[in-house]
Amino acid sequence: MASGAFAESGADLELVGIQKRFPGFTAIEHLDLTIPAGSFFALLGPSGCGKTTTLRLVAGLEDPTEGKILIGGKDVTNLKPYQRQVNTVFQSYALFPHMTVLENVAFGLRRRRIDDAVGKAHEALRLVELDHLSARKPQQLSGGQQQRVALARAIVNRPALLLLDEPLGALDLKLRRQMQLELKSIQEEVGLTFVHVTHDQEEAMTMADTVAVMNKGEIEQLGAPEELYELPRTAFVANFLGQSNLFTGHVSGSTSSSISVDVEGTKITVPTKRAQRHKGEVTVGVRPEKLHLHKDAPKKSPDINTLGPGRIIDVSFSGVSTQYMIAIPGIGTVSVFQQNMTFGPLAGEGAEVWVSWNVDHGFGLEDEPSPTPRFPADTDTATIAVQKKRALMSELEEA
Amino acid sequence: MAFSAFATGTAQEQAPRRKSKIALLLLLPGILYLMLFFLVPLVSLVITSFQAPVPYGDIGEFQTAFKWQNYVDVVNTYGEHILRSFGYAILATIFALLFSYPLAYFIGVKARRWPLLQNLMLVLVIAPFFISFLLRTLAWKSILSDESFVISGLKALSLMAPDAHFTGTAAAVVFGLTYNFIPFMTLPLYSNLQQLDTRLLEAGSDLYSTPSKTFFKVTVPLSMTGIVSGVLLTFIPAAGDYINASRDFLGGTGTAMIGNVIESNFLVTLNYPVAAALSIILMAVILVMVTVYVKRSGTEDLL
């Protein structure tokens, strides 16, 4: 057991061929992942995608069915949680209700017999600006304060690796934003390796250096936030990380720098280096804020993709921007974000409009176009519940 | 950093403090019950304990007096029984706790994934209640008697001396007390441990705490209210018990507890003041011990 000493600095984490099966389902199919020391890494995905399971595997709270876990190059797969230089900020905080805030924070230090546990606990509480409440019980604190105690209780141990399991989930939006910035600055201050699990894409993008998007027990794409956003490789990433307009068609032609896709008679051009596949049926896309709205047919140009005419079917105002939903015959519904540079919408519902975007802003996806690529993945709990209910109703009607 | 800006004060809502005649009316039966069946007998018991024998009167004839020497006599005569009672009760409580805690932990925590097993085990804990306390104790008497299979088996294996007995010994009385009060210990422990948040145990383990440290630093403190109520429910009745220690059941001549002495004074020798004084002493000692215990275990909220 690691006792009496702190980790020198953050350590890198390596997951090799991890698989985790629970009775009845497989949470993680096959996972290979390396997280460099000192980085802020986010695991992003919808509920049930295996991200929390991954975290619990690293913490040692679950055992992998197969594969190895290495922390700082050392195999920890068979070590118990209390033997690992890893601490977790739990989603539920899991503060000990029978101890004061100070005792909670000093708990890990005392178990490792580190000198001056109380002094170091006070120091950690000062870092999260809660030292004045050190004598209180956790129940006497607000949700945000409890969250900060949980954070102090974990970082006071100077773990090689700090795991954060949706720690901001229970906070309201304003506090959440505040805490995101605080966490980021604390990470920079203490220089530990942070692994943050979240289903909030905005949170992952603001905080992390590297984001891994997980879906159905596998990593779909991994990279810097800007890279993931500007160049998603799969339809899942394109839709989970922000919104996307996706079009499926056959590659009709290509030049040295771009490919053209024929979508129901309309030609959409995408730069070759931004497309993952260059022949056959492909799905291409563009972010809604990259689109321009025109009331008159724009001039054709090889650098501009143009769609239209279509009709505006919905206009929704959201402060900084307005979202227009435009139904274009043969292509489907296209979503456009326009900055609110002027007062009032550019065009009302029912107006005939064209949309255009710079060819350079498009991207081509890697996955095989599915018959309905524009529907969201129906793996979230609510959809499953609805499906189950429908199945049950029809069963009852038959009986 | 501007954390302090987010400090929020929660205004606790006050319960309405309206005097209601209906509430008083609803309380009335309870108050009357307590008056009639607790306060009146208690006062009469105190009065009896100071009574003196009628001069030249019959056996069992006493008159009102203030004979506080009754208490001195009682302590001198029966001091040994009083000590023995509390000794047995403390031992039985400790054994019951050691037996019940793992049982309650298994039912309340480990068996959570199998509700059927959980219910089955709870039924097994409660099932003995369906049979009379006396019958169960008598059954143990015959199971542990000299001719029984258990004792003759132990003797055959030379684990017991050939002329030794088990019934009639202090060990048998403590065994009987432990057995009879195990459900009273297990149920409060179960109902407490059943609410134990196992995520806290994971947090302990995550914070470098070995399983045994986590048990003593997290599980035990969190189940303290269950432990205290189980101990009270076992210790109080066990200290006054007169069935297990009786010669007709598991006890012998040398195992009489304070309950047996009270019984024989009230019903056999008709020495009411002595019996009453013993009862008052029993009550007072239990009250003092329980108060000290509850204060020390930090669960004053229970009282």
Side-chain angles (χ1 to χ4, degrees):
Chain A
M1 186 182 153
S3 93
F6 283 135
E8 292 295 308
S9 60
D12 53 342
L13 168 72
E14 210 176 324
L15 302 179
V16 185
I18 290 290
Q19 188 189 49
K20 176 65 185 172
R21 286 200 211 102
F22 288 108
F25 78 104
T26 307
I28 296 171
E29 201 59 71
H30 183 90
L31 192 64
D32 286 301
L33 184 64
T34 307
I35 298 174
S39 65
F40 199 128
F41 189 92
L43 270 177
L44 176 67
S47 46
C49 74
K51 55 189 192 313
T52 296
T53 307
T54 309
L55 210 65
R56 291 174 60 84
L57 286 169
V58 176
L61 301 171
E62 305 277 359
D63 292 320
T65 316
E66 259 172 54
K68 277 198 302 184
I69 300 166
L70 293 99
I71 295 173
K74 222 175 73 200
D75 190 344
V76 297
T77 318
N78 296 316
L79 291 187
K80 300 276 174 222
Y82 55 87
Q83 294 166 322
R84 299 187 187 190
Q85 289 263 38
V86 169
N87 286 110
T88 311
V89 180
F90 293 91
Q91 189 171 13
S92 62
Y93 312 148
L95 297 176
F96 303 121
H98 58 292
M99 298 180 192
T100 63
V101 166
L102 186 70
E103 285 167 337
N104 262 288
V105 177
F107 188 87
L109 299 174
R110 287 197 173 131
R111 296 292 83 73
R112 289 204 293 167
R113 302 206 173 79
I114 282 171
D115 299 331
D116 192 25
V118 172
K120 291 197 169 78
H122 276 299
E123 206 177 297
L125 282 170
R126 273 196 290 275
L127 185 68
V128 296
E129 293 190 1
L130 278 179
D131 201 26
H132 58 294
L133 300 178
S134 62
R136 292 229 192 137
K137 291 281 176 73
Q139 312 78 285
Q140 296 168 305
L141 303 183
S142 70
Q145 289 170 333
Q146 289 185 17
Q147 197 277 331
R148 275 144 58 195
V149 175
L151 182 66
R153 188 177 71 168
I155 55 175
V156 73
N157 300 298
R158 295 289 148 130
L161 205 60
L162 185 75
L163 308 177
L164 302 128
D165 184 6
E166 307 216 13
L168 309 179
L171 307 182
D172 59 58
L173 192 70
K174 204 177 157 199
L175 192 50
R176 220 178 144 93
R177 294 278 170 268
Q178 173 81 11
M179 282 307 299
Q180 286 172 4
L181 299 175
E182 295 299 347
L183 266 179
K184 181 82 188 153
S185 73
I186 286 171
Q187 193 261 338
E188 277 157 12
E189 211 166 315
V190 297
L192 305 174
T193 312
F194 276 38
V195 182
H196 184 125
V197 154
T198 181
H199 63 261
D200 180 339
Q201 38 117 352
E202 213 178 317
E203 188 173 300
M205 288 201 282
T206 18
M207 298 169 77
D209 317 323
T210 314
V211 177
V213 180
M214 271 190 98
N215 186 29
K216 295 180 187 159
E218 280 181 61
I219 290 183
E220 291 254 340
Q221 194 176 351
L222 185 150
E226 307 83 46
E227 186 191 322
L228 287 187
Y229 186 80
E230 296 300 351
L231 198 54
R233 275 217 301 266
T234 65
F236 177 81
V237 177
N239 281 320
F240 192 76
L241 220 59
Q243 297 182 23
S244 292
N245 293 306
L246 299 180
F247 316 98
T248 300
H250 213 80
V251 175
S252 59
S254 62
T255 64
S256 56
S257 60
S258 64
I259 58 167
S260 303
V261 181
D262 177 63
V263 183
E264 303 285 330
T266 311
K267 202 179 83 171
I268 294 175
T269 310
V270 178
T272 313
K273 60 177 191 296
R274 287 175 61 85
Q276 306 295 326
R277 283 148 53 94
H278 302 140
K279 25 180 199 294
E281 285 274 304
V282 295
T283 302
V284 294
V286 64
R287 294 290 184 185
E289 74 277 6
K290 303 283 195 303
L291 297 185
H292 296 283
L293 207 58
H294 305 277
K295 283 183 182 162
D296 310 301
K299 257 190 262 166
K300 295 270 181 206
S301 149
D303 293 341
I304 305 283
N305 286 316
T306 310
L307 295 178
R311 269 186 203 288
I312 296 180
I313 53 172
D314 187 55
V315 178
S316 46
F317 175 77
S318 66
V320 287
S321 64
T322 305
Q323 185 182 19
Y324 300 89
M325 300 299 288
I326 298 148
I328 299 174
I331 287 178
T333 312
V334 172
S335 156
V336 180
F337 282 124
Q338 291 279 282
Q339 286 263 325
N340 287 329
M341 310 278 272
T342 52
F343 296 119
L346 268 115
E349 255 175 68
E352 194 180 54
V353 289
W354 284 259
V355 295
S356 72
W357 72 92
N358 194 317
V359 166
D360 287 341
H361 290 151
F363 51 80
L365 300 178
E366 184 181 66
D367 28 17
E368 294 284 335
S370 58
T372 52
R374 306 213 27 210
F375 284 111
D378 54 358
T379 45
D380 66 300
T381 356
T383 323
I384 291 170
V386 170
Q387 280 171 352
K388 275 202 176 147
K389 193 184 164 192
R390 282 206 192 119
L392 202 67
M393 297 290 269
S394 60
E395 220 170 272
L396 283 173
E397 267 166 36
E398 279 167 28
Chain B
M1 295 200 198
F3 281 137
S4 46
F6 293 97
T8 47
T10 46
Q12 277 206 322
E13 272 185 59
Q14 291 278 324
R17 284 193 186 174
R18 217 154 41 85
K19 277 188 185 170
S20 157
K21 283 187 180 139
I22 295 177
L24 281 177
L25 203 70
L26 287 171
L27 263 178
L28 203 62
I31 291 171
L32 280 179
Y33 179 90
L34 280 179
M35 293 280 281
L36 204 60
F37 296 109
F38 178 71
L39 213 56
V40 173
L42 183 68
V43 170
S44 110
L45 196 69
V46 172
I47 292 171
T48 311
S49 72
F50 288 112
Q51 278 177 342
V54 176
Y56 312 109
D58 230 340
I59 295 174
E61 255 191 275
F62 293 93
Q63 63 189 18
T64 312
F66 185 68
K67 194 181 167 207
W68 55 268
Q69 290 94 332
N70 280 346
Y71 283 85
V72 181
D73 294 346
V74 159
V75 171
N76 285 335
T77 323
Y78 298 114
E80 189 196 347
H81 297 85
I82 295 172
L83 283 181
R84 190 185 289 140
S85 290
F86 290 110
Y88 286 0
I90 288 170
L91 280 177
T93 308
I94 291 171
F95 289 136
L97 181 64
L98 291 179
F99 183 89
S100 296
Y101 202 97
L103 181 66
Y105 191 86
F106 182 82
I107 305 175
V109 181
K110 291 282 169 196
R112 276 182 204 175
R113 272 181 289 165
W114 308 287
L116 193 70
L117 179 71
Q118 216 177 6
N119 290 335
L120 193 73
M121 292 196 67
L122 274 181
V123 168
L124 288 180
V125 170
I126 302 166
F129 280 126
F130 297 144
I131 303 162
S132 149
F133 179 69
L134 295 179
L135 278 180
R136 279 183 283 139
T137 315
L138 269 180
W140 275 116
K141 186 186 181 180
S142 72
I143 293 170
L144 300 172
S145 68
D146 291 349
E147 310 80 51
S148 74
F149 172 74
V150 177
I151 299 299
S152 52
L154 285 175
K155 282 179 181 169
L157 291 170
S158 300
L159 291 171
M160 271 177 86
D163 56 344
H165 310 283
F166 186 67
T167 45
T169 63
V173 177
V174 173
F175 173 85
L177 287 171
T178 308
Y179 162 76
N180 276 310
F181 291 106
I182 274 175
F184 294 95
M185 185 65 96
T186 309
L187 290 178
L189 279 175
Y190 160 76
S191 77
N192 180 285
L193 285 170
Q194 182 229 3
Q195 299 160 18
L196 181 74
D197 187 350
T198 49
R199 292 178 299 187
L200 294 175
L201 308 185
E202 286 187 345
S205 161
D206 186 65
L207 292 164
Y208 313 103
S209 181
T210 56
S212 65
K213 273 277 180 203
T214 308
F215 177 76
F216 287 110
K217 294 284 176 186
V218 181
T219 314
V220 169
L222 285 176
S223 56
M224 210 30 134
T225 50
I227 295 174
V228 169
S229 36
V231 163
L232 295 185
L233 283 177
T234 304
F235 177 75
I236 297 173
D241 184 80
Y242 65 97
I243 302 293
N244 289 285
S246 146
R247 256 177 298 173
D248 301 331
F249 292 86
L250 296 169
T253 38
T255 63
M257 289 168 68
I258 191 165
N260 303 91
V261 179
I262 295 172
E263 184 212 10
S264 68
N265 272 302
F266 256 125
L267 302 177
V268 182
T269 56
L270 306 185
N271 198 348
Y272 303 127
V274 165
L278 276 171
S279 304
I280 300 282
I281 289 173
L282 177 66
M283 258 171 58
V285 175
I286 287 179
L287 206 64
V288 170
M289 288 179 83
V290 164
T291 312
V292 170
Y293 170 66
V294 170
K295 285 263 185 237
R296 295 210 60 180
S297 61
T299 43
E300 287 94 336
D301 308 345
L302 275 180
L303 288 187

